[in-house]
Amino acid sequence: MQNIKPGLTTLSDALAIAFSDVAIMAKTEERLISDCFGAVLREDVVAGVAVPSVDNSAMDGYALRHSDLGSLDRSVPVVGVSLAGHPYAGTLPKGAAVRIATGAAIPEGADCVVIQENVTVNSDETVIVIKQDVLDRTAVYQNIRWAGEDIKTGDVVLRAGTVLRPQDIAVVAGQGRGTLKVAKPLRVAVFSTGDELSKPGDPLPPGGIYDSNRFAMIGMLRDIGCSVTDLGLLADDFDVLQNALASAAKDHDVLMTSGGVSVGKADVLKPVVEQLGEITAWKLAIKPGKPLMRGKIGDCLVIGLPGNPVSVLVSGLLYVAPLLRHAMGANHAQLEPTRMPVRAGFDFTRMTGRREWLRARLVQNDDGAFEAIAFASTSSGMLSSMVWADGLIELPENCGQVKRGDEVLYLPLRGLQ
Ligand code: AMP
Ligand code: MG
C-alpha cells in the first residue's frame, strides 16, 4: 500500500500518463556529428564498416608464422615493415619476420606477433634473435586483433532514441558517418511569474526577491538540448499572463513557467491556461514540487512549475527533463535516473503519502564505506541546499522513517541532466 493522498498522482504514474498523452513533438534534422552531443538520435545506426577493418597487431613487435617457431634457429631475417596505414605488401616468407607497429595490418601468412621487448635486433635491423623461452611460450594468434572484433558490418551500433554521449558520437565517427539524424531542439518559451520578483541586475525594492527560477529552468532546458526563448518576468495578473501565454503558444512547442500554480489568490496561471486551453494534469504526490501543472494551449505543451526554487529544480530534473526528452524521441529506459543503494548517515521522520527527495551528499564514514548525509533543512525555499548537494535521497511514498544505517536510494545530480 502506498497510501497516496487523494487527488495526488505518483511521479511514476504521472510520467507514464504524460508519456502516453504527449506525442513525440520534435521534428528531425540531419546534423554534423560534432554538433550532436546530448541530442536524441532518431535513426538506428547500422555498421557498414568492420572495426578494425583488417587483422592487425595489438603491440609493437615482429609478425611471424607460428608454424615456424619450432624450427627457427633463433636468428630470423626481417624482410620488411608493416606500419599503421602502410601495410607490408606481399606474403611473409617462411622462416622470416616482418617488423610491425601497433594497429598495422598483419601480413599475409603471419599468425602471431612477438613483442619487441622480447627480441634483440642487430644494428641494421635486418636480423632479430628470439630467446628459446619466448619461442616456446608464443601462442598462435598472440597479439592479433581480428578484423570486426570490435564491430562487425551489420551490427546495430546505436538505437534510435539514444541520448548521444561522446562515446556514441565516437563510434559513429568510426563508421565514417559525418552526419546523423537527430531530434530538432524543442522550442521552449520560459518565464517566471510573481509580483515580488525583480530581474537580476535591477535594484531590489523592499520585500522583493530576485528571480532565480528562470535561470534554473533555462539551464536545465539547455542541458537537454532545447532551444530556449527567455520571456522574462510576468506579474501575477490574469490579462498579462493571458496575453503572454497566447502569443508564446503560437510559435513554441512548450511553455514553461514558475510560480502561480498553487491555490492562493495570486495564483492565476491555472485559470489562464483553463481559459486558453486545458489543464491535463495537476498535483503530484511528490515533495518538493506538489502543485506542478501540465496543460496545453493548442498544440503547445504547458508546464507550470511551482515557485519554490528547490521544487523547480527537483521537479524539473525528475519530471520535466524526462518528459521533454520523451517529446524529442528518447528511449524511456534511458530516462530513468540512476538510483544507488547507500547507507543513510542520518535519522529522519516524516509523513508518508508522497515521494520525497532530500538534498544529500555522499561521504565516506570511518570504515571507508560511503553513506549519504542529508541537508539540515527540508525547506523547498532553500536554494543553497541544491548548491550544497551532490545528489538526492529518494524516500518512497510509504517510507515514514529513516534510521542511521538503513539502506536508502541515492540519485547523483550529475545523472539527472
Ligand atoms: P508561488 O508558487 O508563486 O506561490 O511561490 C512560492 C514561493 O517561491 C514564494 O516564496 C515565492 O516568492 C518564491 N518564488 C516564486 N517564484 C520565484 C522565482 N522566480 N525565483 C525565486 N523565488 C521564487
Ligand atoms: Mg507567486
Side-chain angles (χ1 to χ4, degrees):
M1 258 302 282
Q2 286 197 322
N3 185 27
I4 304 301
K5 295 222 166 57
L8 303 187
T9 314
T10 62
L11 178 70
S12 335
D13 288 350
L15 268 177
I17 295 167
F19 287 164
S20 74
D21 274 8
V22 176
I24 297 180
M25 303 161 83
K27 298 197 173 62
T28 62
E29 63 186 6
E30 197 75 20
R31 199 184 296 168
L32 285 176
I33 58 169
S34 46
D35 294 329
C36 285
F37 299 102
V40 178
L41 180 66
R42 295 292 294 274
E43 61 171 325
D44 287 341
V45 177
V46 180
V49 176
V51 182
S53 60
V54 292
D55 299 342
N56 67 89
S57 179
M59 303 293 281
D60 291 327
Y62 293 85
L64 297 158
R65 287 175 183 269
H66 190 261
S67 57
D68 284 349
L69 297 186
S71 55
L72 290 175
D73 65 357
R74 291 179 45 216
S75 277
V76 187
V78 179
V79 294
V81 182
S82 181
L83 299 176
H86 304 280
Y88 172 78
T91 303
L92 174 67
K94 281 196 164 39
V98 160
R99 184 158 72 82
I100 192 161
T102 304
I106 301 292
E108 191 68 42
D111 56 7
C112 63
V113 172
V114 172
I115 64 172
Q116 63 186 22
E117 290 81 351
N118 283 344
V119 305
T120 35
V121 191
N122 72 341
S123 59
D124 61 358
E125 298 190 3
T126 54
V127 175
I128 52 171
V129 176
I130 312 174
K131 285 198 197 112
Q132 190 58 48
D133 67 311
V134 172
L135 289 176
D136 292 345
R137 65 183 146 87
T138 299
V140 66
Y141 309 137
Q142 189 154 322
N143 296 319
I144 294 180
R145 299 192 290 214
W146 299 109
E149 105 182 349
D150 184 8
I151 296 165
K152 291 178 188 49
T153 55
D155 283 356
V156 178
V157 288
L158 292 175
R159 291 271 175 207
T162 303
V163 179
L164 294 164
R165 305 163 299 170
Q167 56 267 50
D168 302 320
I169 307 286
V171 108
V172 168
Q175 286 299 307
R177 289 277 303 266
T179 61
L180 278 176
K181 189 173 159 191
V182 294
K184 263 185 137 162
L186 289 176
R187 297 160 307 163
V188 187
V190 172
F191 52 86
S192 290
T193 68
D195 288 348
E196 74 279 34
L197 301 176
S198 292
K199 189 160 91 36
D202 285 355
L204 193 65
I209 56 166
Y210 283 118
D211 172 16
S212 319
N213 292 348
R214 197 155 33 101
F215 304 92
M217 293 190 285
I218 292 172
M220 289 190 289
L221 290 165
R222 293 228 172 108
D223 271 350
I224 60 169
C226 295
S227 151
V228 181
T229 311
D230 181 357
L231 295 182
L233 264 176
L234 298 178
D236 291 316
D237 179 275
F238 191 95
D239 293 332
V240 168
L241 286 180
Q242 187 176 25
N243 289 335
L245 267 76
S247 114
K250 285 190 199 131
D251 51 7
H252 290 90
D253 303 303
V254 183
L255 299 185
M256 188 163 153
T257 69
S258 100
V261 285
S262 222
V263 287
K265 248 178 66 186
D267 293 327
V268 286
L269 194 79
K270 276 186 65 221
V272 168
V273 175
E274 264 161 353
Q275 170 76 28
L276 294 171
E278 60 172 315
I279 292 179
T280 42
W282 184 49
K283 281 196 176 175
L284 302 188
I286 62 174
K287 187 170 188 251
K290 180 172 87 172
L292 193 148
M293 181 208 77
R294 177 168 63 85
K296 59 182 183 181
I297 300 174
D299 288 334
C300 182
L301 171 67
V302 183
I303 296 168
L305 299 182
N308 275 309
V310 180
S311 309
V312 167
L313 283 156
V314 169
S315 57
L317 293 170
L318 291 163
Y319 178 85
V320 181
L323 176 54
L324 296 191
R325 281 214 160 112
H326 151 85
M328 290 190 273
N331 284 327
H332 292 172
Q334 243 187 313
L335 303 177
E336 276 297 320
T338 304
R339 294 182 162 89
M340 298 160 51
V342 297
R343 299 275 157 218
F346 61 95
D347 295 306
F348 189 69
T349 308
R350 68 170 203 128
M351 300 257 291
T352 58
R354 286 194 271 167
R355 197 180 297 187
E356 179 162 1
W357 293 275
L358 307 177
R359 279 74 85 193
R361 263 191 193 186
L362 272 191
V363 294
Q364 258 177 313
N365 65 20
D366 296 341
D367 305 330
F370 280 98
E371 60 180 30
I373 55 169
F375 193 70
S377 163
T378 60
S379 162
S380 55
M382 294 251 223
L383 198 45
S384 57
S385 65
M386 285 300 284
V387 175
W388 173 87
D390 52 29
L392 301 171
I393 293 163
E394 181 173 87
L395 305 177
E397 288 79 355
N398 55 5
C399 162
Q401 192 173 38
V402 176
K403 285 207 152 62
R404 201 186 167 118
D406 286 354
E407 190 176 282
V408 288
L409 289 177
Y410 172 83
L411 286 59
L413 282 176
R414 273 170 188 272
L416 290 175
Q417 288 168 356

